[in-house]
Amino acid sequence: MLTHSVSIESFWDRDRLAMMKAKKVVVLRNGARRKFEKGFPWFQRNDVRMPEELGQGELVRIEGQDGSFLGIGMANRGARFPVKILTTEDRAIDGAFFRERLDAAWAYRAGMELESNAWRWVHGEADGLPGLIVDWFDGHVAVQVRNAGMERLKDVWAPVLAERAKSVYERSDMAGRKEEGLEDVNGQLSGDTPDRVEIFERNVKYLVPIKDGLKTGHFLDQRNSRYRFADRVKTGEKVLDLFCYTGGFSVVGAVVGAESLGVDLKYVAVETARANAIANGVDVPFVQGNAFDYVAKDAEASGPYDWVILDPPAIGKTKETRESLKWGIWKLVHDALPLLAANGKMVVCACTWQMNVDDCWEVIQLAAGDQGVRVVLEEVTLQDLDHPAVAHFPQSLYLKCLWVRRV
Ligand SMILES: C[S@@+](CC[C@H](N)C(=O)[O-])C[C@H]1O[C@@H](n2cnc3c(N)ncnc32)[C@H](O)[C@@H]1O
């Protein structure tokens, strides 16, 4: 069911092609060879020996200590992982390279029954394109560039995307870029992206704020969990959707006939959520506010709830901040558990690879114990299939949602 416009050969001149050939050599130390052989795409400072003179994000040839060719990568001295590998072939990183990778990523998703006209086309490292995120919204594309190498290669990949999409918009305004020495970018790369792009997921419409929403505009990774929720929620049930963004779960609930209420901190989220409710012909109150405060102070008045959805942002993506995320989730679960009706369900999500399913379950156990409430774990959902979790890059499995029931 996936379709995009037919690819056309784009202009490509020899000088630019030469620029995209790696000239400098980075030597991979023998101690890091095993990592490379397993297919892990990132190397730390002590894994490699780098040349003194190196442009930010410059393409490099990666060689073994014995001088053997290992691959082509992108190097950035200042980054936590200064070398990221693009290919193990000795080739130019040109338009043809990106066409191949983009086509492979497209073909991989073509067999998925996503029941939508929006999907993640490129999931960075998991699709062999470190640091490049590409989301497809009914022909309009939103991209995010996470490292200096992909930033430097923008002139190469952006025209290839432009060949295939009605419009390409860049949303590289994110915390991780500073670490790579990059400024935020928010702007049109080609075509003309509407302020709101309408997409569907099954029978639910969403307006996607590509230009001023969060990340690339819509949390495609939660699509399967929204579908699962649609299958489980029942007419007349009460749903509290905390961190609701544009009403992902709350609108689904209302379309099924539930009584939903959504809370989000951001004006653009709440405003778009209201528009989404209207687009689907349902009535959902959305509150702009802090979900931590709301659940602790205000939520009781409209409870008890048959469903509480907790889908906070990853406040911590590093080991150092993992503890604060765990505490944040404990606090939310702790305060939300008493709001559940008998047999009420809670969906607890964590979107960082730093917290695995066991960590989340431990946090829920602690919160339930502290409240003296009994819960049973019923199922676990992960990021949807168009966000592949590949074994050779463990960081690619980042989203997990634990579905628990109060018993
Ligand atoms: C992962 S998104 C939720 C996605 C949503 N469940 C969906 O299906 O589209 C997290 C949301 O949390 C919101 N947020 C962040 N901090 C918040 C806070 N303290 N209180 C309420 N919302 C917050 C962000 O604005 C963002 O919309």
Side-chain angles (χ1 to χ4, degrees), residues 287-304:
V287 176
Q288 187 188 348
N290 187 327
F292 284 89
D293 294 342
Y294 193 87
V295 76
K297 295 185 205 134
D298 305 316
E300 199 181 350
S302 43

Side-chain angles (χ1 to χ4, degrees), residues 84 116 138 160 163 206 208 216 221 321 344 346 356 382 401:
K84 299 184 175 94
S116 176
D138 192 26
V160 181
E163 288 166 7
Y206 292 104
V208 180
T216 57
D221 50 6
T321 45
M346 190 182 298
N356 60 27
L382 304 173
C401 301

Side-chain angles (χ1 to χ4, degrees), residues 49-220:
R49 203 168 59 228
M50 288 196 284
E52 286 301 319
E53 297 276 304
L54 204 54
Q56 193 189 27
E58 187 172 341
L59 283 177
V60 289
R61 286 175 70 79
I62 303 168
E63 293 183 356
Q65 282 183 238
D66 56 1
S68 57
F69 172 81
L70 296 177
I72 306 289
M74 306 174 286
N76 182 13
R77 273 188 169 283
R80 192 143 52 107
F81 292 90
V83 178
K84 299 184 175 94
I85 194 157
L86 279 168
T87 175
T88 51
E89 283 175 67
D90 193 359
R91 59 172 299 173
I93 306 302
D94 52 10
F97 170 81
F98 279 101
R99 261 182 222 109
E100 279 169 33
R101 291 278 157 108
L102 286 166
D103 287 347
W106 189 275
Y108 177 66
R109 286 149 179 87
M112 296 174 184
E113 292 179 6
L114 301 175
E115 301 173 74
S116 176
N117 56 355
W119 49 84
R120 176 146 294 186
W121 181 358
V122 176
H123 189 47
E125 283 75 355
D127 283 297
L129 292 170
L132 186 65
I133 299 297
V134 183
D135 285 347
W136 174 271
F137 297 109
D138 192 26
H140 296 281
V141 154
V143 288
Q144 190 181 66
V145 181
R146 296 182 174 175
N147 65 45
M150 272 301 161
E151 181 70 35
R152 201 175 166 110
L153 288 166
K154 198 184 284 179
D155 284 353
V156 187
W157 53 257
V160 181
L161 285 176
E163 288 166 7
R164 286 151 158 81
K166 290 186 229 173
S167 74
V168 182
Y169 196 90
E170 183 175 357
R171 285 301 309 274
S172 302
D173 40 341
M174 49 175 297
R177 279 183 52 110
K178 278 198 188 72
E179 194 186 289
E180 288 272 332
L182 300 170
E183 299 288 314
D184 284 352
V185 178
N186 177 330
Q188 196 77 51
L189 291 181
S190 61
D192 190 10
T193 301
D195 289 341
R196 299 287 180 267
V197 174
E198 187 179 305
I199 60 154
F200 68 86
E201 291 178 1
R202 288 189 178 163
N203 59 335
V204 176
K205 293 178 203 155
Y206 292 104
L207 298 167
V208 180
I210 292 179
K211 296 177 181 176
D212 58 346
L214 291 181
K215 306 270 177 83
T216 57
H218 187 67
F219 289 87
L220 294 164

Side-chain angles (χ1 to χ4, degrees), residues 214 219 226 243-245 248-249 264-266 289-292 311 313:
L214 291 181
F219 289 87
R226 289 189 285 264
F243 307 88
C244 66
Y245 188 49
F249 287 88
D264 200 282
L265 197 58
K266 299 261 179 210
N290 187 327
F292 284 89
D311 187 12

